[in-house]
Amino acid sequence: MSEREQFQRLARRLSGEKVRLQRELCRAERECRQLRCANANLLVERDAADVLLGEAMDRLLEESRR
């Protein structure tokens, strides 16, 4: 195999690897977006739970003072 053929084979292999890595990067970026969205939803739910817990604790404290 000539040097030129070896170079062309390597170039094709590298091009294929580039495409594979681009696809993998897109998949990872999509997964990160989904995780950020899920995290934001969890933060909202946590804050809502904190509010409800605070209200429940306030009610219990008020009832215990009566």
Side-chain angles (χ1 to χ4, degrees):
M1 179 180 305
S2 72
E3 196 172 302
R4 178 184 165 101
E5 290 170 328
Q6 288 177 346
F7 176 77
Q8 288 173 335
R9 176 184 260 180
L10 179 60
R12 280 193 300 274
R13 192 173 117 228
L14 289 175
S15 179
E17 282 296 304
K18 178 185 172 200
V19 169
R20 183 188 67 77
L21 289 171
Q22 286 172 328
R23 287 180 183 153
E24 189 175 324
L25 177 61
C26 287
R27 182 195 54 76
E29 288 173 340
R30 185 171 44 254
E31 187 176 302
C32 284
R33 281 193 303 274
Q34 291 170 345
L35 289 171
R36 281 193 293 271
C37 182
N39 189 48
N41 290 336
L42 288 172
L43 291 174
V44 168
E45 290 179 18
R46 182 204 62 194
D47 291 346
D50 284 348
V51 168
L52 292 174
L53 179 59
E55 290 175 357
M57 290 174 68
D58 288 345
R59 267 190 241 134
L60 286 174
L61 185 61
E62 288 173 13
E63 289 176 8
S64 70
R65 288 181 180 167
R66 290 181 189 173

